[in-house]
Amino acid sequence: MKRFFSPLVELSLRYPRVGLGLWLVVITLCIAGVSKLTIAYDYRSFFDEANPELTQFNEIEQRYTATDSVNFILHRADGDVFNKGDLEALKTLTDRALDIPHSTRSQSLTNFQYSYADGDDLRVEPLIAPLTNNAANALKTIKTRAMGEPLVVGRLLSPDGQSAQVIVTVRLPTDQGNVLPQIKATVAQIKSDVLAKAPDLDIAVTGVVMLSNAFFDITVQDMIRLFPIMGVLVIGVLSWFFASLRAAGYCLLVISLSIGMAMGVAGWFGVALTPATGPVPVVIMTVALVDSVHIMSTFLRLRRTSDHHSAVRQAVFSNLRPIVLTSITTAVGFLSLNFSDTPPFREFGNIAALGTVFAGLAALSLLPILLKAPAMARTGRDRFASAQGLASFTQAVRPVRWVIVAAALAASILALWAIRAMPVEDNFVEWIGADQPFRQDAAFIQERLPALFTLQFSVAAPDDASVTNPDYLSDLAQLRAYVEAANGVSHVASFDQIMRRLNRNLNGDDQAFDILPDSAELAAQYLLLYELSLPFGEDLTTLLTIKRDAARLVATLKPQTSREMRALRSDILAWADANLKHTEVSGGTGTNMIFAEVTASNTRSMFIGSMVAAIGIGLILMVALRTWQLGILSLMPNIIPALMAFGLWAFAVGSVGLYGAFVVSVSLGLVVDATVHILEKYTSLKTDPQTTDPVAKTTAEVGPAILISSAVLMTGFGVLTVSAFALIGLLSQLVLLTLAVALLADFIMLPALLYCVRRA
C-alpha cells in the first residue's frame, strides 16, 4: 500500500509545481461537470423504473385517469360552509384552479354532478346552482343533498360541514423541464386572491403535485443553506483547534475542491439531485476533512522538534497508511448503500464514496504542497500537542479493563433486546421538515378532511362481462362495504354508489329502490342515460375504464404509518380473494403505498448491505494490520456503537423509519477512521522495546487528532439534523448518536480490549 501511494506523495513533495499543475488539470476537468447537475422534481425519482409498486401504480393510472393532484381545503372555523359567501369562494376557487398549468379537471361541491328524479325524467346538474340574494331555502336544500351523498361526504366535504375540498387533477409533462415553480406560483396566487375576498376563511394546499414541489424546494433550500453553515462552523472549529485561520483555510480549501470534483463527476454521469443527495456536499466535507485534520495536527506537533520541510514529510508519511485505509473503509461503507432500493440513496453513497477517495488523495498530495508554503513554518499550533492527560486517562482504564469489556457486551445485549422489539414504520409526509409549508398544510388538512393517503384497487369484471353485470356490482358493493368498515379508512369512492343512486332516481327517488339494479340491461341503460347527461369534462373515467370492464375503488385513509398501510392492503386483498367470486381485485396502490413498500424493501436490502460492509471492512483491516486477531478486534468498536445507538433510540423514540436502514452503513464507514488510526499506531508501537505502555502512548499520539476529527464529524452531522428533508435530519441524529458512543468506545472500550489482548 505504501509502495503504491508513495510516488504520488513524493511527486508533490519534490516537485510541488508539477504536482500542483496536475491537480489543477484534474480539478478543472472534474468541476466542469457541475454545470451538468440537475434537480429531480418528481417524487417518482425515489423509485426505480422497474419498481413493482410503481409499475402497478402506473398501470392503474393508465387504465383510468391520473391521480396526481393539487388539493385545496377551504375551512370555516366558526360554522359550516353552507352560506352564500363561502360557496361563492368555493366556486371561484374551483374555476380558478383550472388556471394551474397542466391541470385537466377541477372537482368540488360546486360542480359535483347530482342526479335526481323530475317526474319520469332524470335530472343531472351541479350540486350547487347559482345563488340569488334570497337563497335560504336553496342553501338548506344544497346542504341536505350534500350531507346525504356518499360520494361527497368524506371526500369533497367534511362530515361536520366545516371543510370543503377542491381536487385539481394535473398531468405533469415529461418533456418540458421543471414546471413546479410555475404551478406553485399559480397556486399561491389563486389562494391569495380567494382569501382577499374571504379573509375569514382558512385555505390549505396539499396533494401529490405539491409534494413533488416540496421535494424540489427542500433540495434547493438545503444546498443553499447547509453548506455555508457547515463551512463557517468548520472554519471556526479548526481555527480554534489549530490557533490559525490559515491552517483551517488550507484544510477547507482541500475539502472544497474534493467536493467540487465529486459533484462534477456526478454531473458528468447525469445524476439529478434530490432531497437525499442535496446534502451530500456537507457529508463529504464532514468525512473528508478528517484526513486533512490528521495531517495538519501531526505537522503542527512535529514542527516543534523538526525543521519545516521534515515536519511536512513526516506528517504525510506517518499518516499515509491510516489515511489510505480509512478512505477505503469509509468508501466501502458508503458504497454499501448500493444495496438500497431507492436510487437517490444509491447516488448519495456513490457521490460520498467518490468524494472520500478524492479527499484522501488530496490530503496526501495537494495539502503537502500548501503546507510547504513559507508562511506555515510559523503559523498555528496544536492545542492538544501535549496529550499526557489522554495517556493518563488510558492508563486508568487498565485496572478495570475486564469490567469495561463485560459492561460493553452487556450493554450490547440489552441494545439488541430493545432493537428486536422496535417497529420499522414510516409516514412519507413526515419526510418533510415540520417547519415546511407543505407539512403544515398537510397536518391541517389531515385533521379535518383526510385527502393525501389513498389506496386504489382495480376491480375487473369477469370475461365477456361489463361493470353493469349484477353479480359484478354485488361484489363491488361488498368490497366497498368491507373497506369502509376497515380501521383507518375515512372514505371510499366506488361505482356501485352511483348505480344505487341512479336506480333510486329512476324510480321516483323512492328510498325503497336505493339498491343495485337487478338486471344488466337495466343497469346499462341507467349508465348510458347518466353519461349522456354529464357535461363535457365530467365523465366517469376517474372510476371506470374506457371499455367498461373494470372499476376503480378509491379508499381515502386517515393518517397512519407505512406498516399499518401494508397490513390494511394485505387484509383487503386477502378478504377479496376469499369472498368475491365474480370479480378480480388487484392493486391496493397509491403514492403513499409506494413509499410504504420502499421502507420495507430498503430495510431488508440494507441489512444485507450493512453486513457486507462490516465483513468487507473487517477483511480489509485484517490484511492491512497483518493480523486476523486485531482485524476481528477492530469490529467491536465499530459495530457496538451502532448497536448501542439503535438501542438508545429504541428506548427514547420507540420506532425507526426508512432512515434507520442506512445508519449502519453510513456510521460504519465513519467510526472506523479512529479505530484504524489507533490500531495502526498500536501495531507500530507494540514491538518497540523502548515503549513500556504502547496503548497509552498510542492514545497520546493519535488521540488529539481523533478528538478534533470527531468534533468535525459531529459538527457536520449536527448541521444536517436541521435539514429541511426530515429523513436526512433523523438519519443524522442517529449517526450523531452513534459517533458520540463511538468516541467513548475509542477512548475507553478499545484501550480496554487492547490491554486484554496484550496481557493475554
Side-chain angles (χ1 to χ4, degrees), residues 70-112:
V70 175
N71 299 60
F72 294 90
I73 297 292
L74 182 150
H75 175 74
R76 173 164 289 283
D78 57 353
D80 60 42
V81 297
F82 293 102
N83 59 78
K84 187 172 184 294
D86 288 357
L87 292 181
E88 287 179 348
L90 184 63
K91 177 69 165 58
T92 300
L93 190 59
T94 305
D95 294 341
R96 288 285 308 279
L98 291 174
D99 294 338
I100 296 174
H102 309 290
S103 60
T104 60
R105 188 171 186 172
S106 177
Q107 305 171 72
S108 75
L109 284 175
T110 64
N111 62 3
F112 177 81

Side-chain angles (χ1 to χ4, degrees), residues 495-654:
F495 173 63
D496 70 285
Q497 296 165 307
I498 294 177
M499 293 307 299
R500 285 181 55 174
R501 172 157 47 92
L502 291 175
N503 193 49
R504 184 186 72 235
N505 295 155
L506 292 168
N507 284 278
D509 275 335
D510 186 346
Q511 287 296 325
F513 288 90
D514 190 20
I515 56 176
L516 293 170
D518 56 7
S519 79
E521 292 78 10
L522 190 60
Q525 291 175 17
Y526 288 171
L527 179 59
L528 177 62
L529 182 61
Y530 180 67
E531 289 191 292
L532 290 174
S533 303
L534 292 174
F536 179 77
E538 300 294 336
D539 54 45
L540 294 177
T541 52
T542 56
L543 292 177
L544 299 178
T545 59
I546 294 176
K547 294 181 179 180
R548 301 299 188 253
D549 59 351
R552 175 163 58 182
L553 183 146
V554 181
T556 304
L557 310 180
K558 299 173 184 177
Q560 53 193 274
T561 66
S562 57
R563 186 165 55 98
E564 292 168 334
M565 287 181 194
R566 293 195 303 272
L568 176 62
R569 180 179 68 171
S570 297
D571 179 64
I572 292 172
L573 291 175
W575 182 91
D577 185 60
N579 294 276
L580 304 182
K581 307 302 181 184
H582 306 287
T583 59
E584 181 180 346
V585 181
S586 61
T589 187
T591 308
N592 47 284
M593 184 53 64
I594 309 174
F595 281 104
E597 285 297 333
V598 85
T599 297
S601 62
N602 266 305
T603 301
R604 293 188 295 268
S605 59
M606 286 311 302
F607 174 79
I608 298 173
S610 299
M611 292 303 100
V612 170
I615 294 171
I617 289 173
L619 291 174
I620 291 170
L621 294 181
M622 287 181 195
V623 173
L625 298 173
R626 303 183 186 89
T627 166
W628 64 268
Q629 292 96 333
L630 286 182
I632 293 176
L633 189 70
S634 69
L635 294 178
M636 293 185 65
N638 293 335
I639 294 176
I640 287 178
L643 282 178
M644 295 181 69
F646 268 102
L648 291 171
W649 193 267
F651 283 114
V653 180

Side-chain angles (χ1 to χ4, degrees), residues 54-71:
L54 181 61
T55 300
Q56 185 181 62
F57 178 67
N58 289 336
E59 287 175 352
I60 285 185
E61 290 213 326
Q62 288 170 3
R63 296 193 69 190
Y64 303 94
T65 56
T67 56
D68 287 354
S69 64
V70 175
N71 299 60

Side-chain angles (χ1 to χ4, degrees), residues 21 138 162 235 276 290-291 319 323 387 433 535 629 715 730:
Q162 290 185 294
I235 284 288
V290 172
D291 297 334
N319 284 286
I323 287 177
Q629 292 96 333
T715 299
L730 290 168

Side-chain angles (χ1 to χ4, degrees), residues 204-206 429 437-447 452 559:
V205 188
T206 185
V429 172
F438 175 86
R439 173 81 175 272
Q440 294 171 352
D441 276 8
F444 178 89
I445 289 171
Q446 291 296 93
E447 290 178 3
L452 194 55

Side-chain angles (χ1 to χ4, degrees), residues 1-16:
M1 185 182 299
K2 190 171 183 179
R3 189 180 307 149
F4 181 80
F5 287 96
S6 291
L8 177 65
V9 178
E10 288 287 357
L11 176 65
S12 297
L13 292 175
R14 292 187 180 183
Y15 308 102

